[in-house]
Amino acid sequence: MLSSVSLVRLALLLSLLVRAEAIWPFKEKRFKDEAFINAGSLGLEGISGRVIGVGDWDGDQKLDLYTLNGDKKTVTINLWDKDKFKFTAAHTLTLSSTISNIIPGDYDHDGHLDLLVMYVQEEDGGWWGSKNDKLGMEVYLGGAEDGGFQKKAWKLDSALPTQPIVFDADSSLRPSLLGLAPSDDTTEGLLKTWLNNATGFTLGATPLIRPEQACTLAHPHSSAFIDIDGDCLPDLVLHCATPKSTARSIQIWLNKGKSGFELSRSYDLPRGSGPVSFGDLNRDGSIDIIFPTCAQTSKSTGIGTECNLNIAYNRQIPICSTEGSQTDKEGKLSCRGWGELCTADEGFEFSFDPSDPHLTSIPFSTLLADKTDTETTGGILLHPPNQPDIPLPIRVGDYNVDGFPDLLLTVHTNTKGGVLGTKEINQVKVLVNVPCSKNVPGCEGRSMRGKRGFKVRSGKAWDALDGITDAEGASWMDIDDDGSLDILVQRSGSQSGERVTFIQNNIYHDAFFLKAQVLNGACEGKCELSQGGKSYNPLGVSYSGATYKFTVLDTEGHRVAQQVAQLPQTGYHSLHNPYAYFGLGRTNNYVEKLFIGTSLPQGSHSTYLESIIPNSQIIINPPYPVSPDDEQENPEPKNKDDVPSSPPSKDRTQAPVKARSTEWKSQLYLKPGDWVPWVGVAVFSTTIILGFVVLGLNEREKKEDEKERRRKLHAINFQAL
């Protein structure tokens, strides 16, 4: 039997061990293998539908997911719980109509994320039972006391089934909509703008300078709000359809500030073109266009056969070796200075001619070539089976943070022969962006110097991804905000019953990353309440269309440029993250200048930050433009105690104060790496060693001083004798 004293000592020892474990910096890793790891459904085991949206609903800088149930009438907001490492269902929204799409955004500009819901508008057409083919839209406002939705919603004018996209129509940083509205004059509808005035939407004319030149949007389409000419102002890229034809084209409307958008380029896409994606694939500081082409596509299965991967490179003036821009003898811009990246190049050009070297077209048969003795055929999954209104674009993301974005897509393979006989599967593949060399797809017949190709990786590190054979789509996302791009795989459930599986990226890469997020200027810092109470962070209200451009020095001292867009597309379950993620590659330096662009009026639409530390996250809050409506709503306060506030809301107990951001503000959050505790140990150990050295030298100095003092005491003063 232990004595009471022994028990007390044992309890004290255990408490000390627990405290030591709590402060021990070397935590046990959740995922230990250096590979892509199947993390399971992470709390989404019970869903019967699909993930249709991504956003930070509660403003905690963690990604939350929006799921649509099997009958397509209920949206569930699943919040990320970092401690439990899974998603937890928090709020639901149920409609009586079939939901087509949702777009998270701050529509009333109060710093809370809201939800725009698009649904099939079914109206009784009489005893014939006919129904009008329209798209209903409503905005459900966030910021309720329980963290969910307010009771009152905004109802918008109907649109055609072709889904509108989010863009900034009036340089107000408020999300407006551009799409096709029903018209009595034409069955294709008219291109209109749903203008957001922060209290609702009004249907009106578009800000296009010559709207008669606008095309008819395809259904589904891949239109985007993204900077194309390099001036850091987001432009409009319209994905068009030719009436009564399967032909597709794109129109590029350049942002001219207060004047509106001007048509600059029109291109016919190759026959059989699928969804369009955007990214800077060759790391030259301009946005390229990526899309598949297939000879045939089955509407029932969604499988495209005899497909090619196509990349139309954006040809713009190069980056100078100097900080300032340079001109030629005629005064034309010959190169952008690396300190003046937000300079427009009106001569930008794309080519969609297969014979042009600036269009790379790679047959998927070469990318997915099977080296075994089996016969493998197949194609790309362009949409889930029997759901042609949900396109599956090629996703762009830099999983290995080398600065060259990789591609993510779902492929269908039909394998004949071998032990298993005939087998049809849908798998998610990562096309890794690699330098051109011999036998690299995309490098045939081209000068390999400085060119890029793509390879499909395989091996033990990829087994978790290759093991999923019932995929119905995939997208990039950083699950736990650990600085690596993971993969969300949507599934049919035929293989294991799971509808969603997360693949954790646990592969170590000797390179750096950067994450950036532009807010909408709704609040300056935290959002305060007009009558006191708890403030809240507006960190979930990302701005659609923001642009980032920067240069970085590689390990050889070469300066390379890069451009990344934030939320360029919002239609048809686009699943873009609310921030921009870009790899920096291997570098031994800071990011020299990071340029940030928005759709604010020209001259004030961009800013830059200097000497950004890699492996960090930047939050940028732009200045809120004051309009005449805002001035009438919020007159100048007569004294410091007379604080202007927004109009009172019936659904809120307190209205948020409109303390708008008046200048560009930024916050930097460092992402601690696995090496940080070791650096702390090294610094602590060095400090201890140097401390002992100082104490030793100090003690030695004291002894020497004591000896010197004793000598003086025993010295004889001969003058006194």
Side-chain angles (χ1 to χ4, degrees):
M1 296 292 291
L2 293 174
S3 64
S4 59
V5 176
S6 299
L7 289 174
V8 171
R9 290 177 178 175
L10 180 60
L12 289 173
L13 179 61
L14 290 175
S15 65
L16 290 175
L17 290 175
V18 171
R19 291 178 182 177
E21 183 180 1
I23 64 174
W24 180 247
F26 305 102
K27 305 293 183 182
E28 184 178 358
K29 292 185 178 180
R30 186 180 300 273
F31 303 104
K32 298 181 181 179
D33 295 335
E34 190 175 330
F36 278 102
I37 300 171
N38 190 326
S41 296
L42 298 182
L44 302 183
E45 292 83 3
I47 71 168
S48 58
R50 296 176 62 85
V51 176
I52 63 170
V54 182
D56 182 7
W57 179 258
D58 52 357
D60 62 351
Q61 293 185 274
K62 306 296 180 185
L63 289 184
D64 307 316
L65 297 182
Y66 304 80
T67 56
L68 183 65
N69 69 347
D71 65 2
K72 299 183 180 180
K73 294 185 177 181
T74 299
V75 175
T76 303
I77 301 176
N78 302 274
L79 303 181
W80 177 251
D81 190 325
K82 184 175 179 62
D83 295 332
K84 296 180 180 179
F85 199 78
K86 69 176 185 178
F87 293 94
T88 304
H91 310 286
T92 59
L93 178 66
T94 302
L95 303 184
S96 59
S97 303
T98 301
I99 297 174
S100 301
N101 189 33
I102 60 102
I103 304 177
D106 183 12
Y107 295 97
D108 59 350
H109 222 84
D110 66 345
H112 281 299
L113 207 61
D114 312 312
L115 201 62
L116 170 63
V117 181
M118 301 179 180
Y119 56 89
V120 178
Q121 194 173 49
E122 299 177 352
E123 298 180 4
D124 190 0
W127 67 277
W128 291 99
S130 62
K131 297 178 181 178
N132 293 329
D133 196 14
K134 294 182 181 179
L135 189 70
M137 296 185 290
E138 293 184 14
V139 173
Y140 292 87
L141 302 176
E145 291 184 358
D146 62 350
F149 299 101
Q150 299 181 45
K151 296 179 180 179
K152 188 177 180 180
W154 294 355
K155 190 173 180 62
L156 282 68
D157 291 290
S158 301
L160 291 184
T162 304
Q163 295 180 11
I165 66 168
V166 167
F167 82 122
D168 188 354
D170 54 356
S171 302
S172 65
L173 300 181
R174 293 191 292 258
S176 297
L177 301 176
L178 179 72
L180 295 176
S183 172
D184 296 333
D185 300 331
T186 172
T187 57
E188 288 82 19
L190 296 176
L191 195 64
K192 294 287 186 177
T193 294
W194 285 258
L195 185 64
N196 184 355
N197 56 17
T199 59
F201 286 82
T202 55
L203 185 64
T206 66
L208 307 183
I209 294 177
R210 296 186 65 183
E212 68 276 6
Q213 296 178 331
C215 63
T216 300
L217 296 180
H219 179 57
H221 63 90
S222 305
S223 302
F225 189 46
I226 188 172
D227 175 30
I228 295 296
D229 62 346
D231 61 354
C232 296
L233 271 170
D235 309 307
L236 278 173
V237 180
L238 302 184
H239 189 202
C240 314
T242 302
K244 299 180 182 180
S245 172
T246 58
R248 296 291 182 264
S249 62
I250 62 171
Q251 288 185 341
I252 300 175
W253 294 76
L254 297 183
N255 193 333
K256 297 300 181 180
K258 293 182 178 180
S259 301
F261 294 84
E262 182 180 32
L263 180 62
S264 173
R265 305 281 195 280
S266 295
Y267 298 101
D268 292 329
L269 297 177
R271 183 179 179 182
S273 298
V276 177
S277 305
F278 301 88
D280 184 3
L281 294 191
N282 57 349
R283 206 182 189 188
D284 66 345
S286 60
I287 293 294
D288 309 313
I289 298 176
I290 308 100
F291 61 98
T293 52
C294 297
Q296 293 181 344
T297 302
S298 171
K299 290 186 178 180
S300 60
T301 63
I303 300 170
T305 56
E306 299 180 31
C307 300
N308 285 12
L309 167 67
N310 304 278
I311 304 169
Y313 289 104
N314 190 345
R315 285 173 284 171
Q316 294 189 17
I317 53 177
I319 305 300
C320 306
S321 59
T322 58
E323 185 173 3
S325 301
Q326 297 181 7
T327 57
D328 56 18
K329 295 180 180 180
E330 298 178 356
K332 295 182 179 180
L333 193 67
S334 59
C335 65
R336 289 191 185 98
W338 58 265
E340 300 174 357
L341 294 182
C342 291
T343 304
D345 179 11
E346 297 181 355
F348 75 94
E349 191 62 55
F350 293 95
S351 176
F352 295 90
D353 183 357
S355 62
D356 194 310
H358 294 95
L359 175 70
T360 298
S361 186
I362 309 173
F364 272 95
S365 58
T366 62
L367 288 167
L368 305 175
D370 193 348
K371 297 181 180 180
T372 64
D373 58 355
T374 61
E375 180 185 353
T376 301
T377 58
I380 308 174
L381 194 67
L382 296 175
H383 61 78
N386 299 312
Q387 300 184 70
D389 291 346
I390 305 177
L392 300 178
I394 297 174
R395 310 284 185 179
V396 181
D398 191 0
Y399 93 95
N400 55 4
V401 294
D402 63 349
F404 295 92
D406 310 297
L407 304 178
L408 182 71
L409 72 162
T410 307
V411 301
H412 174 83
T413 57
N414 183 5
T415 304
K416 298 180 180 180
V419 179
L420 300 177
T422 302
K423 187 178 182 182
E424 295 190 23
I425 58 176
N426 290 339
Q427 293 178 301
V428 175
K429 294 293 183 181
V430 176
L431 306 184
V432 184
N433 193 336
V434 297
C436 268
S437 61
K438 188 177 181 180
N439 298 326
V440 173
C443 300
E444 300 84 357
R446 305 170 61 196
S447 173
M448 294 185 183
R449 183 177 179 83
K451 304 298 182 182
R452 309 292 297 185
F454 294 88
K455 274 190 173 182
V456 176
R457 300 294 188 190
S458 60
K460 186 177 180 180
W462 301 80
D463 286 347
L465 191 61
D466 293 338
I468 297 176
T469 59
D470 62 344
E472 289 190 347
S475 57
W476 300 105
M477 64 176 295
D478 187 357
I479 296 174
D480 194 36
D481 194 39
D482 60 357
S484 63
L485 279 186
D486 311 304
I487 301 175
L488 181 156
V489 182
Q490 313 236 41
R491 309 174 64 176
S492 66
S494 61
Q495 183 181 7
S496 62
E498 290 186 352
R499 299 304 302 269
V500 175
T501 296
F502 296 93
I503 303 296
Q504 178 79 23
N505 179 6
N506 205 46
I507 300 177
Y508 173 74
H509 300 287
D510 186 17
F512 297 99
F513 72 91
L514 197 64
K515 293 171 71 173
Q517 180 182 8
V518 172
L519 306 181
N520 64 353
C523 304
E524 187 166 3
K526 287 189 175 183
C527 296
E528 305 291 343
L529 298 175
S530 59
Q531 300 175 10
K534 188 177 181 180
S535 60
Y536 56 92
N537 272 320
L539 297 179
V541 292
S542 297
Y543 169 76
S544 296
T547 294
Y548 306 92
K549 298 183 75 172
F550 65 94
T551 59
V552 67
L553 292 173
D554 61 18
T555 54
E556 297 179 355
H558 299 149
R559 182 174 284 106
V560 291
Q562 195 170 349
Q563 181 176 357
V564 184
Q566 176 177 294
L567 287 174
Q569 295 165 301
T570 53
Y572 300 96
H573 305 187
S574 58
L575 296 181
H576 283 287
N577 294 317
Y579 52 74
Y581 177 98
F582 29 92
L584 301 178
R586 299 184 64 188
T587 179
N588 52 10
N589 206 345
Y590 297 103
V591 177
E592 297 169 310
K593 284 189 177 183
L594 173 66
F595 288 84
I596 304 103
T598 64
S599 60
L600 287 169
Q602 284 182 318
S604 61
H605 71 281
S606 65
T607 188
Y608 66 88
L609 303 174
E610 293 184 304
S611 301
I612 304 300
I613 302 173
N615 282 18
S616 61
Q617 181 172 358
I618 309 293
I619 306 294
I620 303 105
N621 201 21
Y624 179 76
V626 179
S627 65
D629 294 338
D630 294 324
E631 291 177 352
Q632 293 176 5
E633 182 181 349
N634 297 305
E636 286 293 328
K638 298 178 180 179
N639 54 65
K640 65 179 181 179
D641 298 322
D642 185 12
V643 181
S645 62
S646 63
S649 172
K650 297 180 181 179
D651 299 318
R652 285 196 183 99
T653 55
Q654 298 180 46
V657 172
K658 287 192 175 180
R660 307 297 194 187
S661 179
T662 56
E663 58 184 13
W664 291 89
K665 293 184 179 296
S666 62
Q667 295 175 311
L668 185 142
Y669 298 88
L670 288 177
K671 169 61 186 172
D674 295 336
W675 43 267
V676 171
W678 292 106
V679 172
V681 170
V683 172
F684 181 75
S685 302
T686 303
T687 304
I688 294 298
I689 293 172
L690 291 177
F692 278 113
V693 170
V694 170
L695 290 175
L697 292 175
N698 186 55
E699 189 65 25
R700 183 175 177 180
E701 184 68 19
K702 285 183 178 180
K703 291 181 179 180
E704 292 293 334
D705 291 343
E706 182 65 21
K707 289 181 181 180
E708 184 68 23
R709 188 182 67 81
R710 290 178 179 177
R711 286 197 204 99
K712 291 181 178 180
L713 288 176
H714 292 284
I716 300 175
N717 190 346
F718 292 96
Q719 294 181 355
L721 295 177

